[in-house]
Amino acid sequence: MIRLFDTHYIRQSYELDGMWDFKMEGIDREYQLPVPACWEQHPDFMRHRGKGMYKKKIYIKQNGNIRLEFKGVSHTADVYFDGEKIAHHYNAFTPFSVVVKNVSNGMHELKVDVDNTFGEHSALHIPNDYYTYGGITRPVALEMINSVYIKNVHFTPYMKNGKWNARIEVKICSLSDNPVNVGVKSKLGDYDMSCEVSVNSEETVIFEQEFNGVKAWSGQEPNLYMLNTVLSVNGEPVDDLIERVGFRTVEVRDTKIYLNGAPVYIKGFNRHEDYAVDGCAMTLQHMVQDVDLMRDMNANAVRTCHYPNDERFLDLCDERGIFVWEENHARGLKLEDMQNPNFERQCEDCIEEMIEHHYNHPSILIWGILNECAAETDEGRRMYKKQYEQIKAMDLSRPVTSATCRHFTDICLDLPDIVSFNMYSGWYKDCPIDERNEQEIEWIKNSGGDSKPIIVSELGAAAVYGYRDRSRCKWSEERQSDLIRDNLEVYMTDDRICGVFIWQFADCRVTEEGEWFATRARCHNNKGIVDEYRRPKMAYDTVKDIFSKYGGV
Ligand code: ADA
């Protein structure tokens, strides 16, 4: 399954899930591996970092143009069709697609070379406090497309004179050498919008429409609407794209975040896409379990630390009214990491693909960048500024932020709409939580963050699942529960703070490379409120209790 709803009735789309032929570079053996999946689930590749080759025979029923969409390949893909290279893509966490024109009916070969190695070629996937898996880890779709087809449809809701309106941008591509006259029809509920346009290679059609009687999307009432767009040539429907949207606005005013004009309090979890046996190739049922558990703990938000997430998870957040802070792919990069010659382009591509593909999710309230990167340096500031500007050029409807740990040295707080900081009072530093909080907020106000909303984007402590100790020493479940309680009670009763994200929802695997194994028992980040099998630790009921007491619904 690619999405939680049908995205085409006219365009023919097939999912290439299933068993693919596989061979690992340097190993003289043929395998059959499932797609989507991580190769680490196979006993021969549990810690393998290298290059693998996936192959699949695909039968094309009629002559025509095909479009291949890969939702995620970890971390670099080189795609070949009948032996010809047709695409290259870096980053496990963003989708990419490629069109092959004039394919004859019959059997063809699709080959994907996948690389999860570290080195200068990879500025974002590096040894880190999460794992970079290998494989075709998210779904793959094969589509038959007309010579004119819809590339994407972006829906921007807004209020005007107390009524819901929306701007609908339909981007159309043409494979023809000559202009093609195209009819465009978009339908949402009882509203039909249509026009004719002549398309040369690429054209964008814009509808502005008032929608009477629609219901807003909110955490409590996540109302969603299908937006169905159809292209016609000579009156004949030739392509379509179905999106699912919500009417909501998110704004920042003074020190608050407003959803549909009312202040909202954000309380949730940082969540890695990582499950014990799936790795990052999480199944829908495990995604549903995660959302159900977060809701059971009275959370209303999730931060996609530290990369764009699978669209099926975002669809779930849309349906369940879970607020999302989605961020580009970066964690803890020092200035020298940011000076990797590939860094800026790889970040730019990630932001472009994240916003292009995830724009319509009403649950995404905030775009984030560059978690704990070199925000204390002038060179780092230049890159933060550039990335904020790139986001604003693509989307003015959402606020931006970045989670910092450059306490008292960050020189970028004037750039984002929301100031967010990662705090581990009581864990990494034994200090009075309230005093440390005062120091932080005082510094924020005097360093460019004055009169901005403040989010505590990370707070937490580690506990190894099942380790109980009456001494309540660090690493025991008791101490984790105590520290979570103590931190939440300070932050959630401070009206200068409008949100908290616990680090982290579930334990996740970390790389053995780098220094992480030394401070990460089991080669896992053990700060989960549940472990990697989603078994709750003592802190589960603590979070459930506190999130029910503070922060509203
Ligand atoms: C940082 C980082 C997280 C995680 C956390 C920790 O704040 O953003 O990814 O590494 O620390 O567990 O220490």
Side-chain angles (χ1 to χ4, degrees):
M1 171 184 278
I2 294 267
R3 299 292 300 273
L4 299 194
F5 57 91
D6 287 333
T7 53
H8 301 287
Y9 294 142
I10 296 171
R11 188 187 300 181
Q12 297 169 54
S13 180
Y14 312 92
E15 295 185 20
L16 298 184
D17 295 7
M19 301 307 289
W20 288 46
D21 296 335
F22 180 80
K23 188 164 181 339
M24 186 66 85
E25 187 178 72
I27 296 175
D28 187 16
R29 183 183 154 189
E30 306 278 336
Y31 294 83
Q32 281 250 308
L33 294 187
V35 167
C38 302
W39 64 47
E40 286 84 0
Q41 75 172 52
H42 189 287
D44 293 358
F45 307 126
M46 297 173 84
R47 283 192 299 114
H48 193 91
R49 202 159 294 291
K51 297 178 182 177
M53 181 183 65
Y54 289 81
K55 263 186 190 173
K56 187 172 188 63
K57 292 288 187 198
I58 51 176
Y59 185 76
I60 304 296
K61 293 176 188 162
Q62 78 242 23
N63 297 349
N65 311 305
I66 67 169
R67 177 176 178 273
L68 289 159
E69 179 161 11
F70 295 84
K71 287 298 189 181
V73 178
S74 186
H75 62 56
T76 294
D78 286 302
V79 184
Y80 299 81
F81 188 75
D82 290 343
E84 183 194 346
K85 185 165 182 180
I86 57 171
H88 169 84
H89 183 267
Y90 171 79
N91 210 322
F93 306 114
T94 48
F96 66 99
S97 62
V98 59
V99 169
V100 183
K101 292 168 63 173
N102 306 323
V103 174
S104 58
N105 72 320
M107 197 64 83
H108 296 269
E109 181 191 84
L110 179 60
K111 179 169 91 87
V112 185
D113 291 345
V114 178
D115 175 1
N116 79 335
T117 60
F118 295 141
E120 189 181 85
H121 61 289
S122 173
L124 306 177
H125 288 279
I126 65 172
N128 222 321
D129 201 11
Y130 62 95
Y131 199 81
T132 286
Y133 291 92
I136 302 178
T137 51
R138 292 182 185 167
V140 185
L142 164 69
E143 300 171 339
M144 299 306 295
I145 56 168
N146 189 274
S147 59
V148 280
Y149 66 95
I150 300 169
K151 183 176 182 184
N152 62 45
V153 175
H154 282 174
F155 175 89
T156 310
Y158 59 92
M159 263 295 176
K160 185 178 173 186
N161 305 325
K163 290 186 184 297
W164 282 113
N165 283 255
R167 176 186 175 86
I168 295 165
E169 297 171 81
V170 180
K171 190 169 282 186
I172 304 162
C173 290
S174 170
L175 302 174
S176 299
D177 297 331
N178 306 308
V180 181
N181 290 324
V182 177
V184 187
K185 264 193 181 168
S186 286
K187 183 174 183 54
L188 188 155
D190 298 334
Y191 290 87
D192 291 298
M193 297 143 276
S194 63
C195 72
E196 299 283 332
V197 65
S198 173
V199 182
N200 259 325
S201 73
E202 194 168 289
E203 201 70 45
T204 297
V205 161
I206 297 174
F207 298 122
E208 294 278 0
Q209 177 68 46
E210 181 180 285
F211 293 89
N212 289 315
V214 294
K215 293 180 181 172
W217 184 92
S218 70
Q220 293 304 300
E221 294 181 37
N223 294 299
L224 294 169
Y225 293 87
M226 306 315 289
L227 173 62
N228 190 339
T229 300
V230 176
L231 295 190
S232 299
V233 174
N234 301 325
E236 186 65 30
V238 296
D239 192 42
D240 68 340
L241 177 59
I242 302 164
E243 283 284 354
R244 192 171 65 179
V245 299
F247 288 87
R248 65 104 185 87
T249 57
V250 51
E251 300 154 279
V252 162
R253 278 202 308 275
D254 304 324
T255 60
K256 301 291 180 207
I257 299 171
Y258 289 81
L259 179 70
N260 304 331
V264 66
Y265 189 90
I266 289 173
K267 51 183 178 179
F269 295 96
N270 287 279
R271 172 184 176 269
H272 270 294
E273 285 184 333
D274 192 315
Y275 183 85
V277 294
D278 302 343
C280 69
M282 287 189 69
T283 60
L284 176 63
Q285 54 265 44
H286 287 145
M287 294 179 197
V288 172
Q289 182 186 33
D290 283 3
V291 170
D292 288 340
L293 289 172
M294 285 191 255
R295 269 286 189 229
D296 183 58
M297 285 188 268
N298 298 306
N300 67 9
V302 64
R303 176 182 173 215
T304 68
C305 61
H306 299 286
Y307 37 75
N309 269 201
D310 188 307
E311 279 218 81
R312 293 167 295 172
F313 181 74
L314 298 173
D315 286 340
L316 272 175
C317 292
D318 292 341
E319 293 177 358
R320 305 293 183 84
I322 300 270
F323 304 143
V324 176
W325 159 338
E326 185 165 64
E327 65 185 29
N328 76 339
H329 179 202
R331 183 213 164 275
L333 302 174
K334 301 182 292 297
L335 181 58
E336 61 186 294
D337 300 319
M338 296 173 81
Q339 289 168 333
N340 175 316
N342 297 302
F343 174 78
E344 291 195 63
R345 177 178 41 78
Q346 290 177 345
C347 281
E348 191 173 324
D349 290 347
C350 180
I351 289 171
E352 172 87 19
E353 291 160 350
M354 172 175 77
I355 296 179
E356 180 184 336
H357 289 87
H358 296 173
Y359 186 89
N360 292 333
H361 289 282
S363 57
I364 298 176
L365 302 191
I366 298 168
W367 295 121
I369 61 169
L370 299 179
N371 176 76
E372 296 196 343
C373 297
E376 79 285 8
T377 67
D378 291 333
E379 177 65 355
R381 177 184 167 87
R382 178 187 64 76
M383 292 185 247
Y384 272 81
K385 187 168 185 296
K386 183 177 161 191
Q387 292 190 23
Y388 283 133
E389 287 169 353
Q390 181 189 356
I391 292 178
K392 291 294 187 183
M394 293 183 75
D395 182 0
L396 286 171
S397 72
R398 294 175 171 95
V400 294
T401 190
S402 173
T404 187
C405 70
R406 299 316 197 258
H407 305 294
F408 312 118
T409 58
D410 192 307
I411 58 171
C412 297
L413 299 188
D414 59 313
L415 299 174
D417 301 306
I418 299 167
V419 171
S420 303
F421 58 98
N422 298 341
M423 296 288 275
Y424 286 89
S425 299
W427 180 254
Y428 290 122
K429 282 199 173 57
D430 287 326
C431 56
I433 299 165
D434 52 358
E435 284 176 28
R436 182 68 190 75
N437 182 45
E438 286 307 321
Q439 290 167 359
E440 191 78 13
I441 293 181
E442 194 56 29
W443 165 67
I444 287 172
K445 288 187 175 311
N446 297 312
S447 312
D450 197 15
S451 77
K452 290 184 179 180
I454 294 175
I455 289 178
V456 181
S457 32
E458 293 181 26
L459 64 99
V464 173
Y465 175 78
Y467 173 46
R468 305 288 294 277
D469 194 309
R470 289 179 59 78
S471 75
R472 311 185 85 86
C473 60
K474 285 186 177 178
W475 291 92
S476 67
E477 289 194 25
E478 289 88 347
R479 186 64 162 278
Q480 182 191 42
S481 172
D482 294 346
L483 284 171
I484 293 286
R485 177 179 297 281
D486 296 347
N487 275 275
L488 288 179
E489 284 187 341
V490 168
Y491 301 133
M492 295 187 79
T493 55
D494 185 331
D495 61 9
R496 298 166 296 179
I497 292 172
C498 64
V500 292
F501 288 94
I502 293 170
W503 185 276
Q504 65 173 328
F505 169 68
D507 293 349
C508 72
R509 187 174 174 183
V510 306
T511 60
E512 193 169 347
E513 301 90 337
E515 78 289 3
W516 295 105
F517 70 91
T519 60
R520 297 293 186 264
R522 315 183 299 133
C523 269
H524 274 68
N525 181 306
N526 297 282
K527 298 188 182 72
I529 302 302
V530 300
D531 78 348
E532 62 272 25
Y533 291 94
R534 275 54 182 169
R535 298 178 297 184
K537 302 174 188 174
M538 279 179 74
Y540 183 102
D541 290 320
T542 303
V543 172
K544 183 169 182 169
D545 172 43
I546 299 222
F547 274 4
S548 69
K549 269 189 201 158
Y550 304 116
V553 290

